[in-house]
C-alpha cells in the first residue's frame, strides 16, 4: 500500500511539473505572438503613414506656399517613416534571434515598446488626418475664389 501511495505521489508531482512547464510555455507563446502581431500592426501603421503623406504631397501642389506650410512640415517626416521601418526590421531580427532564449519579462518589455510606438504612430496619423482636412478646406476655398479675384491678388 505504501508503495502505491509513493508511486501516486511521484506521478502527481511529475504531472504538476509538466503542467507548470506547459503553462509557462503557453504564456511565453502568447507573448511572442503578441509581439509579432504588434510588429505587424506597427508596420501597417508606418506604411499607412507613408501612403497618406504621398496623398498630401499631391494635394499641396495646387495650393499657394503660405496655405500649405503646415503640411510641408508634416511631409518632411518621410525619413522618419523609413527610419521607423528600419527600426522595426531590427526589432524583428531581435525577435528571431532571441525569442527562444529571452525571458518573459524581456519579451513583455519588447511588447510594451511596440505598444508605445504604435500609440505615437496613432497620434501622427491623427495629425495627418487633421492636416488633410485643413488642406481639403483650403483647396475648396482656393477653388471658390473667382479668377478676377485671383488676378487682383497677383
Amino acid at each position: 500500500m505504501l508503495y502505491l501511495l509513493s508511486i501516486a505521489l511521484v506521478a502527481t508531482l511529475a504531472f504538476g511539473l509538466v503542467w507548470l512547464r506547459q503553462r509557462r510555455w503557453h504564456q511565453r507563446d502568447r507573448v511572442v505572438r503578441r509581439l509579432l502581431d504588434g510588429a505587424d500592426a506597427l508596420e501597417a501603421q508606418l506604411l499607412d503613414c507613408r501612403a497618406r503623406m504621398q496623398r498630401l504631397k499631391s494635394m499641396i501642389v495646387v495650393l499657394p506656399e503660405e496655405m500649405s506650410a503646415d503640411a510641408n512640415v508634416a511631409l518632411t517626416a518621410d525619413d522618419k517613416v523609413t527610419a521607423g521601418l528600419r527600426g522595426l526590421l531590427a526589432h524583428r531580427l531581435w525577435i528571431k534571434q532571441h525569442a527562444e532564449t529571452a525571458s518573459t519579462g524581456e519579451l513583455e518589455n519588447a511588447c510594451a515598446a511596440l505598444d508605445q510606438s504604435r500609440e505615437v504612430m496613432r497620434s501622427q496619423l491623427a495629425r495627418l488626418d487633421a492636416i488633410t482636412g485643413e488642406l481639403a478646406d483650403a483647396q475648396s476655398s482656393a477653388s471658390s475664389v473667382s479668377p478676377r479675384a485671383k488676378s487682383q491678388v497677383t
Side-chain angles (χ1 to χ4, degrees):
M1 181 74 157
L2 184 60
Y3 182 71
L4 290 175
L5 186 59
S6 297
I7 291 175
L9 183 62
V10 169
T12 302
L13 182 61
F15 177 76
L17 291 174
V18 169
W19 179 79
L20 282 174
R21 184 175 174 162
Q22 285 292 98
R23 185 171 176 229
R24 280 191 216 135
W25 185 82
H26 285 295
Q27 179 185 11
R28 178 183 196 73
D29 189 50
R30 280 192 304 273
V31 173
V32 169
R33 271 195 230 128
R34 196 173 99 219
L35 187 60
L36 292 172
D37 290 344
D40 290 343
L42 180 58
E43 181 179 18
Q45 284 179 315
L46 286 164
L47 294 175
D48 184 34
C49 183
R50 179 178 278 166
R52 290 181 191 197
M53 288 170 46
Q54 292 301 320
R55 283 192 299 271
L56 279 174
K57 285 179 184 178
S58 67
M59 292 174 76
I60 289 176
V61 173
V62 298
L63 293 174
E65 181 70 27
E66 61 274 359
M67 295 178 85
S68 61
D70 286 343
N72 278 328
V73 170
L75 296 180
T76 59
D78 194 39
D79 291 339
K80 291 179 183 176
V81 171
T82 301
L85 288 168
R86 281 191 191 121
L88 182 60
L89 177 61
H91 202 75
R92 287 183 189 271
L93 288 173
W94 181 89
I95 294 167
K96 182 177 181 179
Q97 293 171 351
H98 300 284
E100 290 182 20
T101 59
S103 70
T104 304
E106 289 173 318
L107 294 172
E108 290 283 353
N109 289 340
C111 285
L114 277 176
D115 291 344
Q116 184 179 8
S117 295
R118 286 197 339 258
E119 190 58 39
V120 169
M121 278 307 303
R122 216 174 275 123
S123 68
Q124 293 299 322
L125 291 171
R127 183 174 173 222
L128 283 174
D129 286 341
I131 291 170
T132 301
E134 290 171 10
L135 280 176
D137 291 345
Q139 280 183 328
S140 65
S141 296
S143 66
S144 66
V145 174
S146 68
R148 183 176 292 159
K150 283 183 183 177
S151 65
Q152 290 174 354
V153 171
T154 56

